[in-house]
Amino acid sequence: MTDFPILTTLVLLPAAGALLTLLVPARRPELVRALGYGVTVATLGVTGYLVTRFEAGAGIQFVSTHWWMETLGVRWTLGVDGVSLFMVVLTAVLFPIGLLASAEVDRPKAFLFWVLVLEAALMGVFLALDLVLFFVFFEFTLVPMYFLIAGWGHGNRRYAAMKFFIFTMAGSAFLFAGILAVGFLHRRDVGFLTFDAGVLTEWASSPGALSSGTARVLFLAFAVAFAVKVPLFPFHTWLPDAHTDAPTAGSVVLAGVLLKMGTYGFLRFAIPMFPQAAVDLSWLLLVLAVVGITYGAVVAAMQPNIKRIVAYSSVAHLGFVVLGIFALTAEGIQGGLFTMVSHGLTTGALFLLVGMLHDRRHTYDVAQYRGLWKAVPVFGGLFVATAFASIGLPGFSGFVGEFLALLGAFVTSRWYAVVATTGVILAAVYLLWAVQRTVTGEPDGDNAGMRDLGPRELCTVVPLLALSLFLGFHPSPVLDRMEPDVDRLLEHVEARSDHDVPSPAPGVEEAEAGR
Amino acid sequence: MWFLENAWLVPLVPAVSFAVILLVGKRLPKQGSEVGVAAVGASFVLACGAALQWIQRVADAEGADAEGGHALARVIGALGRSVGRLGAEEAHGAVVEPVTRHTTWFQNGGVELGVGIQIDGLAVMMMFVVTLISLLVHVYSTEYMRGDRRFTHYYAALSLFTASMLTLVVADNTLQLLVGWELVGLCSFMLIGHWWEEKPNSDAALKAFLTTRTGDIGLLTGVIMTYFVVERATGEGSFSILAVNEAATSGEVGHTLLFWTAAALLLGIIGKSGQFPLHTWLPDAMAGPTPVSALIHAATMVVAGVYLGARVYPVFWEGFSIDDGGVNLMAAVGGITVIIGAALAFVQDDVKKVLAYSTISQLGYMVMGLGVGAWTAAVFHLFTHAFFKANLFLGAGSVSHSGSHHSFDMKKDMGGLRTVMPTTYRTFLIGTLALAGIFPLAGFWSKDEILLGAGENGYELFLVVGLVGAFMTAAYMTRCVYYVFFGEYRGGDHAHADPSHAAGDEVVEHHLAEAQDRHEDDRLPVATAHAHDDGHHGAPHESPGLITVPLVVLSVFSVFAGFLNATAFDIEKFQEWVEPTVAFVPVEHHAFDWTKAVISVAIALLGIGASYAYYWLGLGPQRLAERNAVARAGKRFLVEKYYLDHLYTDVVVGFVKAPLARAAYWFNQHVIDNVLNYTGRGARALGRVTYDYVDQKGVDGVVNGIGLTTGEAGGAVRTIQTGRLQFYAFLLVAAVVVFAALLWVAG
């Protein structure tokens, strides 16, 4: 089994699919669609196989490594651990759903090409363990996303696409510079050039390798790129525009997976490579996270455009993720990771539902909608349920993630956590208010004649909601696989910095048994 | 022991019923109501079984304790006579361990989050109350809600509501309690907004959810802090309620931490239990169907806060130094709520709103009771209040159902109903007297104990507050009874056409009346939906048995429930059964004081008398508010609910929604974006000089020029050659240069 290059398959399968679409004649859209479903579902299948084979606690596994550019020390190194596993799963789950949601898109061939390229790039981002390779994938997500927004979006789509592009690119420039700097500083110190994440992490985090000033500058370089992606306040303004004008599938993938590239980058690279700098500067990230949580919520409350409300809610949700991560405790990081998964499901579902509204009425204006629960009861019920899932009601996955993140943050950063708690109520304010305005009341005009969701549309939303509900009741499958690797990360940080991770209380089980 | 160990079934049965009703309810002959009634009935049986076994357990423990020579107490017990005060004191030496079961929900980095049950007297008592009231509400609703547009959904929500509350009640850890708490909030949202076609109803639902969630900030913080309270005491954090209480009483935890934990949890209580200043959602919650109001006010939702206070009482006891007497935050919040709630009840025309403000006031008594160290009294008041308040709400529902054409306006659509609705009248009157605290009805015993506790524990101020509250309670309830059941029937021809009403009243009241009209119109679709309804102008009549039987059952409890702890007759069963004996604080018990009891009953009678004189006999300054500016201002202040709603809606929400959000958004669009735009513009200008051809095709050129959008494969390659990516490469290089410089500086 070990011979089967499962991770390389995950990257190459969608890429091959993308190339295949080019061979299909444009006048056979049904073939194109079949190909798209086939490839994304096959990728999902391979991911499922990966999950069953994954061994919790075994660290980075399924590593496949080959020389890519030997003179530059760049290798094709892929590997997966508990931190990245569920990002891969999330990607694999959201893509077929996104495709299903855009079954009626025009120019399906080109659309599918970019979607599959995007999936390949995202898989690469979460699996790459070579910094240059990571950067290539990281950047490569931009191009398909740009074309998806510019080509299939609506409204001011070119501006939005450009803004998205420039923002993230500007951040990436720092990332690229940081990667090169680490690589060459390593060569100066040790004598050979490599961009292997494991080697560089070990070297960069070892005492004396980097002066604290250098480490901080490098950390900030990584942090800026990732902060733009998350997005953290004040780098977030591209997000609402990009979301609003993106096609539904684009929004789903953008919110569900692309944003997580940032938070994942912190966990995989920025924090382990520069642990002391991360600890020293954690206050900055925490402040931005808390500002994001409250600011995102306040701004969301006044948006007349329902898609922008959902978009700003992402700013707030991802604030919780960053809060959890930079609390630098086991619960916090796990809470952050779990929220990443949960947010992908619930916000994905919200974008799908909002997209369905747009399909019918061609507007995102909240004021145009009334009484949808009565007019389209299936939609109304799902919308209300998804809103409650999104605001983290117990029973849905959001609660587990946010609670763990807050609990973890409480240990090391009490006051940040207390302020962040207000985000819990603010989330309810803007989302339920939007829900109230759209689904309650008596339907009038065009609302009354709206058609309810069809089977295809149900197949997109219901699985996401069901997954959120399942994880809300039974989060262990995810948490248990993450936990060993989060602990490993924290041990690393503790060993390589003056950070004292409050020890998780051992023997709770004995205390319980003793009762 | 079977019932105690398997008490987790009590919440599980209605939870399953929720799923069943939701999935297949519409296809069942009675549209799902039969499932709901059966499930809650089963829960009730289970709860009764648990209660009996708990009583047995207490008796066993006392028996074992008495083994060594207190034979007398045992004989007394065996004879079934009430244990005397002396005997009870002895008995309280007996430790009755709660029955606990626990299983891990998930665990994470050593933090174990579990689900479990902690069944003790308090939990058993609540299970009994919740299942009983819920069962009666379920039965009552089969008639009251018949023909409703969302009958099945209503029953599904009712089941989930009950299940959530019971989850909270049996919880053995604060996290599970929080989960139940949030789900209760969700259900209240669904039920208050049950008729969401009309905006005021969905507004009310949203307001209830958001206001209680404001309190949840405190609860969430407080629950997390309980974990650290335990960690401080034992070195290992835990959410277990027993562990939290043990930690709080251990003396190992710093006072500051306990204070803030208590304060945070108190904020949760203030939100959920309608305490000042977050009580404003409760009267609006009357927008829901009346049986729901009964459930919310008597057994679920609002008492969740008081239950939380009773559950982790040692945290409050230590955190607020309740033993010291004087004033503390908890007692103050409760005391203020007693008065402000009661005062508002005087200016309501809507009978349900009178009851709503009365609930606020009574919840104030409970919180105040906890605050002054009268734990048993406060919990006892929760117990008795549940019966008579459910009784009153269901009574009001009965009146609107059969007597006033689905209106709740007692000034316009009721009056003189005592002869046509005799059962409703009698049960309502019993509820009123119980609420007013007239000897020997249920409310007398519990309220009197709270007052006694306040007086004896060094909280004399709150004794006065309680007495004033008692006067007001008796007075406003008498006013309410007068408007509903006495005088002339005013609902005969529909009050809309009656100009004499509005003409005599002041502007505010007119305004209010209009609001009420709307309120009433909201009911109309329901009214017409009623199959049995004999026309809109049908004569008032008594409600059918499905409605009156629950009323009778509740009024029986309203009369007799108080005798469980009738200290005057040396009965202290409630205290013996319910008061925890493990990880608890030394609350004091005081001997019944006849003088104080007589005074408090006299004050209540005075309240009734004053109202009687004013309304029946027409004594005193009638219509004072029309003639006297001060009185008018005072009334207006009350009618406007102390302007708190204005403060929240117009000032706070208005500020956040308009200036603050706008300012933030402006900052977003102008400051942050402009930085980007100018940077972009600058970079572009630079780029034009360096790479002249970058802008030749420009942004649009790239998009338009993409071959792929027209189906050509070669376009992808062409894209890479066109300008934008060159620009990108330029930026990369520029960044590297800047960066190299930075690194050099940082050294």
Side-chain angles (χ1 to χ4, degrees):
Chain A
M1 155 257 147
T2 43
D3 294 345
F4 177 55
I6 184 166
L7 301 186
T8 305
T9 311
L10 278 178
V11 179
L12 293 186
L13 193 60
L19 291 179
L20 269 180
T21 50
L22 298 180
L23 302 178
V24 181
R27 61 195 142 71
R28 300 290 302 277
E30 74 286 353
L31 271 185
V32 171
R33 281 197 198 101
L35 183 70
Y37 293 137
V39 170
T40 50
V41 170
T43 312
L44 180 60
V46 176
T47 309
Y49 177 71
L50 173 69
V51 174
T52 59
R53 288 287 169 173
F54 183 85
E55 198 183 327
I60 292 178
Q61 35 199 304
F62 303 100
V63 177
S64 70
T65 177
H66 309 277
W67 278 114
W68 181 25
M69 293 181 277
E70 201 167 350
T71 44
L72 294 175
V74 178
R75 293 180 72 93
W76 172 277
T77 306
L78 301 180
V80 69
D81 70 355
V83 174
S84 51
L85 179 67
F86 289 97
M87 294 300 104
V88 172
V89 174
L90 196 59
T91 311
V93 167
L94 287 177
F95 268 88
I97 286 175
L99 276 188
L100 196 57
S102 18
E104 284 153 18
V105 78
D106 57 336
R107 288 172 283 131
K109 182 175 162 177
F111 183 80
L112 198 76
F113 173 79
W114 288 123
V115 166
L116 290 178
V117 168
L118 184 58
E119 182 169 19
L122 282 168
M123 286 292 182
V125 165
F126 294 124
L127 294 173
L129 291 175
D130 182 287
L131 282 172
V132 172
L133 186 64
F134 169 78
F135 181 74
V136 168
F137 284 128
F138 192 81
E139 288 310 280
F140 216 79
T141 57
L142 278 183
V143 181
M145 201 67 220
Y146 172 84
F147 285 117
L148 285 175
I149 297 174
W152 286 266
H154 22 248
N156 201 0
R157 63 192 193 206
R158 298 216 174 106
Y159 171 73
M162 204 59 219
K163 194 168 171 182
F164 164 73
F165 200 90
I166 291 182
F167 245 103
T168 45
M169 199 179 60
S172 306
F174 287 96
L175 178 64
F176 189 49
I179 288 173
L180 290 182
V182 176
F184 285 99
L185 285 172
H186 171 260
R187 187 175 71 168
R188 197 173 68 186
D189 196 33
V190 183
F192 65 95
L193 187 62
T194 180
F195 289 97
D196 183 89
V199 174
L200 285 183
T201 301
E202 189 54 35
W203 171 78
S205 62
S206 61
L210 297 169
S211 75
S212 87
T214 313
R216 282 186 195 199
V217 170
L218 288 171
F219 174 78
L220 282 177
F222 279 71
V224 166
F226 297 143
V228 169
K229 266 288 189 298
V230 169
L232 271 176
F233 179 90
F235 307 112
H236 64 279
T237 59
W238 63 268
L239 178 91
D241 287 329
H243 267 310
T244 315
D245 300 331
T248 297
S251 291
V252 170
V253 171
L254 185 58
V257 193
L258 255 79
L259 305 187
K260 277 73 174 201
M261 287 162 46
T263 45
Y264 170 78
F266 277 119
L267 283 173
R268 171 64 78 224
F269 301 108
I271 295 176
M273 282 169 76
F274 317 107
Q276 186 61 52
V279 172
D280 292 342
L281 295 171
S282 63
W283 64 269
L284 179 65
L285 277 304
L286 288 171
V287 167
L288 294 183
V290 170
V291 170
I293 290 170
T294 46
Y295 176 92
V298 168
V299 176
M302 68 145 296
Q303 298 300 325
N305 179 316
I306 194 160
K307 208 169 177 187
R308 285 184 94 87
I309 295 176
V310 182
Y312 273 108
S313 84
S314 287
V315 177
H317 278 293
L318 270 291
F320 272 105
V321 177
V322 175
L323 177 78
I325 289 175
F326 278 91
L328 293 172
T329 57
E331 299 80 43
I333 295 179
Q334 291 233 55
L337 272 170
F338 200 83
T339 307
M340 281 155 76
V341 176
S342 163
H343 171 262
L345 300 173
T346 54
T347 308
L350 275 179
F351 274 124
L352 288 170
L353 288 164
V354 168
M356 292 166 194
L357 282 184
H358 190 270
D359 288 347
R360 287 163 171 72
R361 297 277 317 277
H362 307 289
T363 174
Y364 289 126
D365 187 1
V366 177
Q368 295 295 316
Y369 295 101
R370 265 192 86 195
L372 294 183
W373 208 342
K374 194 163 195 179
V376 278
V378 178
F379 173 88
L382 278 176
F383 194 40
V384 172
T386 311
F388 276 110
S390 178
I391 65 176
L393 197 81
F396 290 104
S397 52
F399 175 76
V400 176
E402 279 178 16
F403 187 79
L404 280 176
L406 281 174
L407 181 68
F410 216 87
V411 182
T412 50
S413 341
R414 178 163 313 165
W415 292 107
Y416 296 106
V418 171
V419 178
T421 341
T422 58
V424 171
I425 176 195
L426 288 171
V429 172
Y430 61 78
L431 213 49
L432 287 187
W433 194 43
V435 165
Q436 185 213 12
R437 283 179 291 167
T438 49
V439 306
T440 67
E442 287 286 348
D444 51 0
D446 288 344
N447 291 319
M450 217 148 114
R451 96 195 120 80
D452 211 339
L453 305 190
R456 178 179 63 81
E457 292 171 313
L458 282 177
C459 285
T460 60
V461 179
V462 171
L464 295 182
L465 204 55
L467 272 175
S468 173
L469 203 57
F470 173 75
L471 291 180
F473 275 97
H474 191 49
S476 305
V478 171
L479 288 175
D480 290 351
R481 288 180 171 81
M482 288 172 176
E483 187 173 345
D485 294 304
V486 170
D487 287 345
R488 201 189 314 274
L489 170 68
L490 277 173
E491 279 163 27
H492 172 78
V493 171
E494 204 170 18
R496 298 295 170 85
S497 75
D498 57 11
H499 179 59
D500 185 20
V501 181
S503 60
V508 175
E509 297 91 296
E510 290 121 72
E512 296 293 342
R515 282 229 312 266
Chain B
M1 292 294 284
W2 188 88
F3 285 104
L4 292 176
E5 278 166 3
N6 293 291
W8 49 272
L9 282 168
V10 179
L12 190 65
V13 172
V16 170
S17 144
F18 160 70
V20 170
I21 296 175
L22 205 61
L23 292 177
V24 299
K26 280 198 175 136
R27 272 171 260 153
L28 295 174
K30 290 190 186 274
Q31 294 188 300
S33 65
E34 64 270 62
V35 180
V37 172
V40 178
S43 272
F44 176 63
V45 171
L46 290 169
C48 287
L52 289 174
Q53 287 190 337
W54 177 258
I55 289 168
Q56 186 59 44
R57 191 178 165 90
V58 173
D60 288 350
E62 279 165 15
D65 199 54
E67 209 71 47
H70 296 291
L72 187 64
R74 205 149 44 106
V75 171
I76 293 171
L79 286 173
R81 280 187 43 206
S82 47
V83 180
R85 168 141 194 90
L86 201 68
E89 287 249 301
E90 300 284 7
H92 258 263
V95 170
V96 193
E97 291 279 348
V99 178
T100 57
R101 292 184 84 175
H102 188 88
T103 178
T104 301
W105 178 25
F106 63 93
Q107 69 127 354
N108 183 301
V111 181
E112 194 261 8
L113 305 174
V115 287
I117 54 170
Q118 179 191 328
I119 304 301
D120 54 11
L122 179 61
V124 161
M125 182 278 288
M126 277 302 282
M127 286 200 302
F128 175 77
V129 172
V130 173
T131 51
L132 173 63
I133 306 241
S134 177
L135 178 62
L136 294 174
V137 164
H138 270 77
V139 171
Y140 181 100
S141 299
T142 55
E143 168 65 25
Y144 190 86
M145 297 296 284
R146 187 193 298 167
D148 187 78
R149 17 187 149 150
R150 273 181 295 277
F151 188 80
T152 306
H153 282 166
Y154 172 82
Y155 268 92
L158 221 50
S159 279
L160 186 61
F161 206 177
T162 312
S164 312
M165 186 66 194
L166 289 167
T167 306
L168 182 159
V169 166
V170 300
D172 77 330
N173 63 76
T174 47
L175 181 64
Q176 183 183 342
L177 199 145
L178 171 74
V179 169
W181 181 286
E182 293 288 335
L183 292 176
V184 164
L186 166 73
C187 298
S188 71
F189 177 78
M190 298 196 309
L191 285 167
I192 294 168
H194 181 70
W195 293 309
W196 43 251
E197 278 88 347
E198 292 79 30
K199 189 142 189 310
N201 300 344
S202 66
D203 278 346
L206 195 62
K207 184 171 175 183
F209 192 81
L210 295 183
T211 313
T212 54
R213 223 174 150 85
T214 308
D216 289 358
I217 294 177
L219 184 72
L220 195 54
T221 315
V223 164
I224 291 176
M225 284 168 88
T226 57
Y227 180 86
F228 296 106
V229 166
V230 178
E231 192 182 47
R232 197 66 64 86
T234 64
E236 291 164 15
S238 166
F239 290 105
S240 157
I241 287 172
L242 272 180
V244 170
N245 286 344
E246 270 163 20
T249 50
S250 68
E252 304 274 323
V253 187
H255 184 262
T256 319
L257 177 59
L258 282 174
F259 173 78
W260 285 110
T261 310
L265 292 173
L266 182 63
L267 181 59
I269 297 178
I270 289 173
K272 206 69 156 188
S273 285
Q275 299 295 295
F276 178 83
L278 293 181
H279 63 274
T280 55
W281 66 271
L282 230 166
D284 290 41
M286 295 300 106
T290 308
V292 172
S293 307
L295 197 55
I296 287 180
H297 284 248
T300 60
M301 186 86 180
V302 294
V303 294
V306 179
Y307 183 76
L308 169 72
R311 202 61 162 156
V312 291
Y313 192 58
V315 173
F316 294 98
W317 177 270
E318 300 290 338
F320 291 145
S321 311
I322 286 173
D323 212 13
D324 294 352
V327 176
N328 65 55
L329 208 52
M330 196 176 201
V333 165
I336 293 171
T337 310
V338 168
I339 302 296
I340 62 113
L344 288 177
F346 278 102
V347 295
Q348 304 304 319
D349 293 343
D350 181 323
V351 59
K352 276 176 80 180
K353 290 206 169 165
V354 175
L355 297 176
Y357 283 111
S358 157
T359 303
I360 291 173
S361 176
Q362 297 301 311
L363 289 166
Y365 273 105
M366 296 175 209
V367 172
M368 186 175 92
L370 291 174
V372 301
W375 187 92
T376 312
V379 173
F380 191 40
H381 197 55
L382 189 166
F383 178 73
T384 59
H385 174 260
F387 300 116
F388 53 72
K389 191 49 64 69
N391 181 0
L392 289 170
F393 264 113
L394 295 182
S398 170
V399 168
S400 94
H401 187 71
S402 313
S404 64
H405 310 298
H406 306 276
S407 161
F408 288 98
D409 192 319
M410 32 182 214
K411 279 191 178 166
K412 286 197 311 187
D413 300 318
M414 297 182 186
L417 290 172
R418 71 183 181 286
T419 44
V420 283
M421 306 183 77
T423 314
T424 304
Y425 167 61
R426 285 188 200 121
T427 53
F428 198 90
L429 198 62
I430 290 173
T432 301
L433 294 175
L435 173 58
I438 301 302
F439 180 87
L441 301 179
F444 164 76
W445 299 105
S446 51
K447 192 185 285 182
D448 198 63
E449 266 190 66
I450 293 178
L451 298 182
L452 189 68
E456 301 287 324
N457 293 345
Y459 289 90
E460 287 79 9
L461 173 64
F462 294 98
L463 172 65
V464 177
V465 168
L467 288 174
V468 172
F471 174 82
M472 294 165 83
T473 307
Y476 68 70
M477 280 313 292
T478 309
R479 167 182 178 268
C480 176
V481 169
Y482 171 79
Y483 277 129
V484 175
F485 293 104
F486 289 86
E488 290 295 309
Y489 181 56
R490 296 174 292 277
D493 49 72
H494 218 238
H496 292 278
D498 183 4
S500 65
H501 170 73
D505 277 327
E506 51 177 302
V507 186
V508 177
E509 213 153 5
H510 183 63
H511 174 70
L512 203 69
E514 273 178 356
Q516 296 299 343
D517 280 354
R518 263 189 279 116
H519 184 59
E520 175 194 333
D521 287 338
D522 293 342
R523 297 283 170 285
L524 290 181
V526 195
T528 46
H530 276 259
H532 76 289
D533 208 311
D534 41 3
H536 212 61
H537 292 268
H541 54 88
E542 183 57 273
S543 295
L546 283 172
I547 285 181
T548 50
V549 169
L551 291 179
V552 172
V553 172
L554 284 169
S555 52
V556 169
F557 275 99
S558 303
V559 175
F560 295 107
F563 287 105
L564 272 181
N565 222 37
T567 43
F569 308 129
D570 286 343
I571 306 173
E572 294 184 331
K573 283 291 173 201
F574 189 85
Q575 175 190 325
E576 187 187 329
W577 291 334
V578 171
E579 197 170 283
T581 49
V582 178
F584 200 58
V585 291
V587 291
E588 284 174 48
H589 299 284
H590 309 284
F592 189 80
D593 185 335
W594 281 103
T595 327
K596 283 195 176 123
V598 168
I599 292 173
S600 86
V601 172
I603 283 178
L605 289 173
L606 207 62
I608 295 177
S611 261
Y612 183 78
Y614 186 86
Y615 291 102
W616 270 264
L617 309 179
L619 299 176
Q622 303 283 345
R623 298 191 180 278
L624 182 68
E626 283 157 41
R627 288 181 276 114
N628 182 307
V630 178
R632 188 157 54 238
K635 182 168 182 184
R636 198 184 165 95
F637 188 58
L638 289 178
V639 170
E640 296 290 338
K641 299 175 273 189
Y642 312 117
Y643 293 93
L644 277 178
D645 269 350
H646 290 282
L647 176 69
Y648 298 153
T649 315
D650 300 344
V651 181
V652 179
V653 177
F655 176 69
V656 172
K657 231 151 81 178
L660 183 61
R662 253 177 252 284
Y665 193 56
W666 182 88
F667 181 72
N668 207 46
Q669 298 305 89
H670 293 87
V671 179
I672 303 179
D673 262 14
N674 270 353
V675 171
L676 166 81
N677 288 343
Y678 287 126
T679 315
R681 225 173 279 172
R684 207 140 50 154
L686 192 63
R688 198 173 291 139
V689 179
T690 323
Y691 299 89
D692 202 24
Y693 56 94
V694 167
D695 264 32
Q696 285 178 1
K697 288 205 152 187
V699 187
D700 290 354
V702 180
V703 182
N704 297 337
I706 303 158
L708 266 177
T709 55
T710 53
E712 290 171 38
V717 185
R718 227 194 305 153
T719 320
I720 296 167
Q721 294 165 345
T722 37
R724 201 36 64 179
L725 293 185
Q726 304 276 13
F727 170 50
Y728 172 31
F730 158 72
L731 263 194
L732 272 186
V733 172
V736 172
V737 171
V738 171
F739 212 71
L742 265 177
L743 272 179
W744 183 67
V745 172

